[in-house]
Amino acid sequence: MTIHTADLAGIDVRAEIERLRKERNAVILAHYYQKPEIQDLADFVGDSLELSRKAAATDADVIAFCGVKFMAETAKILSPEKIVVLPDMEAGCSLEDSCPPEKFKAFREAHPDHIALTYINCSTEVKALSDIIVTSSSAETILQQIPADQKIIFGPDRHLGGYLSRKFNREMLLWPGVCIVHEAFSETELLKLKQQYPGAPIAAHPECPPTIVDHADYVGSTSGILNYAKTMAGDTLIVATEPHIIHQMEKALPEKTFIGAPGADGNCNCNICPYMALNTLEKLYLALRDLEPRIEIEETLRLDAKRSLDRMLEMAGTTVGKGDLGNR
């Protein structure tokens, strides 16, 4: 979506968002990886699935999801009667891109004795081809409920799948996708940072490669990392996930120091999700004004995708999104 500054000249974008929020009976959701100015005006800030569940529980007519496309699609799967808009339809995900539905379908058909345990960072079509969806906060709980002799396909994130495989000594067929944000962290730069802040623990997202996860004192979802920051004994934490989560940490714990783990260039810049960054206040305003770009999902496909999400919620509903923040 191309926005020309002149088109919005004289418009108080924040005031207009507030007006439209009320006029449209809209709920605004912001993922932890959104820019601080978007997080601060959202009704809810959190991890992707829990945001969709919270929105479904409201009486809102419109969901404005400041995140990426698969997240907005999940909101539509759970709230088919609501209008769901995404500020920028180009806000995709490298994990989703790595797993085209037709290739995943062929992979499943080649391994008919395997069940598909699939990370939520995937398209609606891949969800519909899966048996159970998992999040980074529910994956361990779900995996422990699957019989040891059951063969498993795990996709699309090979790092999360590999972490689970090592932790629980479960052999799994791993789809070769990665998150470009978490792949960018540098072990060498992380070790330099650890020397600079001796004693500071490292919290890492399981989408990180083993070279990062193996140095972590805590491995967990974004909301899990936030909870760890609240309960850890020290006052300094090195954070190996997309750095915009630090905004919520600093708001909740102003007395503590949070340091983003560096990328290969020695800083955090390469670890900012380029897809999440496509959402802006201006695009949010236009999405609420025009109710576009709008997420639409064919009903049979929606129900097939919802089936795998429902299985996750049945198996691990209490762990999903634990620690998400409601701002309002």
Side-chain angles (χ1 to χ4, degrees):
M1 181 190 296
T2 302
I3 295 177
H4 300 290
T5 307
D7 296 341
L8 301 178
I11 294 175
D12 184 335
V13 171
R14 290 174 188 270
E16 283 297 292
I17 289 172
E18 290 301 331
R19 179 183 67 81
L20 288 165
R21 188 202 313 252
K22 297 186 181 82
E23 187 178 295
R24 300 293 197 194
N25 188 27
V27 61
I28 298 173
L29 310 178
H31 191 270
Y32 286 129
Y33 297 168
Q34 288 294 291
K35 299 164 187 171
E37 59 264 30
I38 292 179
Q39 293 187 38
D40 288 346
L41 60 74
D43 294 291
F44 298 105
V45 179
D47 279 335
S48 61
L49 179 59
E50 187 62 11
L51 288 173
S52 294
R53 295 178 77 196
K54 286 180 175 176
T58 71
D59 62 359
D61 296 313
V62 176
I63 298 171
F65 207 128
C66 298
V68 296
K69 188 180 178 189
F70 82 80
M71 299 178 184
E73 288 181 349
T74 302
K76 186 66 175 179
I77 291 168
L78 297 183
S79 298
E81 76 290 353
K82 299 184 193 299
I83 294 170
V84 179
V85 294
L86 179 67
D88 193 321
M89 200 62 85
E90 295 301 313
C93 172
S94 57
L95 283 168
E96 177 181 347
D97 292 344
S98 77
C99 192
E102 64 279 4
K103 291 187 178 179
F104 188 72
K105 183 174 186 288
F107 189 65
R108 287 223 61 185
E109 289 170 350
H111 302 93
D113 54 346
H114 288 61
I115 65 167
L117 207 62
T118 307
Y119 191 31
I120 196 168
N121 295 37
C122 63
S123 66
T124 299
E125 290 79 6
V126 168
K127 288 180 176 69
L129 291 166
S130 302
D131 295 296
I132 310 166
I133 295 300
V134 302
T135 64
S136 46
S137 57
S138 68
E140 295 188 13
T141 301
I142 288 170
L143 184 59
Q144 289 174 287
Q145 295 175 57
I146 296 174
D149 60 351
Q150 173 61 59
K151 295 179 180 179
I152 297 171
I153 289 169
F154 190 95
D157 190 327
R158 67 182 171 90
H159 291 321
L160 175 56
Y163 170 74
L164 294 167
S165 177
R166 295 190 302 275
K167 182 168 182 177
F168 294 99
N169 194 28
R170 290 292 295 266
E171 185 177 342
M172 295 190 281
L173 282 179
L174 303 180
W175 188 266
V178 296
C179 166
I180 57 171
V181 172
H182 293 92
E183 182 84 345
F185 290 112
S186 162
E187 181 182 26
T188 301
E189 295 298 330
L190 181 64
L191 291 175
K192 287 181 189 174
L193 197 61
K194 190 136 179 79
Q195 284 183 326
Q196 192 177 343
Y197 297 93
I202 297 169
H205 196 285
E207 289 179 28
C208 291
T211 52
I212 301 299
V213 167
D214 289 349
H215 294 291
D217 300 277
Y218 173 82
V219 180
S221 67
T222 320
S223 51
I225 291 172
L226 180 59
N227 283 336
Y228 176 76
K230 294 175 180 176
T231 58
M232 70 177 195
D235 59 5
T236 302
L237 178 65
I238 298 169
V239 181
T241 190
E242 213 275 2
H244 283 121
I245 180 61
I246 291 175
H247 178 62
Q248 289 298 330
M249 294 176 169
E250 290 173 343
K251 284 176 67 174
L253 304 156
E255 73 282 3
K256 294 188 178 182
T257 300
F258 302 102
I259 302 150
D265 59 355
N267 61 51
C268 286
N269 292 339
C270 62
N271 300 330
I272 292 174
C273 177
Y275 300 106
M276 290 282 188
L278 290 174
N279 295 310
T280 64
L281 289 178
E282 291 78 13
K283 291 175 186 176
L284 173 59
Y285 156 65
L286 293 174
L288 287 169
R289 186 192 72 182
D290 303 336
L291 296 181
E292 296 286 350
R294 193 179 299 199
I295 300 293
E296 302 287 1
I297 303 173
E298 189 273 325
E299 183 63 5
T300 302
L301 174 62
R302 185 189 74 83
L303 291 173
D304 286 345
K306 187 173 182 292
R307 192 173 299 116
S308 61
L309 281 166
D310 286 343
R311 288 196 186 112
M312 179 194 64
L313 294 173
E314 289 164 11
M315 297 174 77
T318 57
T319 67
V320 176
K322 199 172 179 182
D324 290 326
L325 303 178
N327 283 350
R328 293 166 183 257

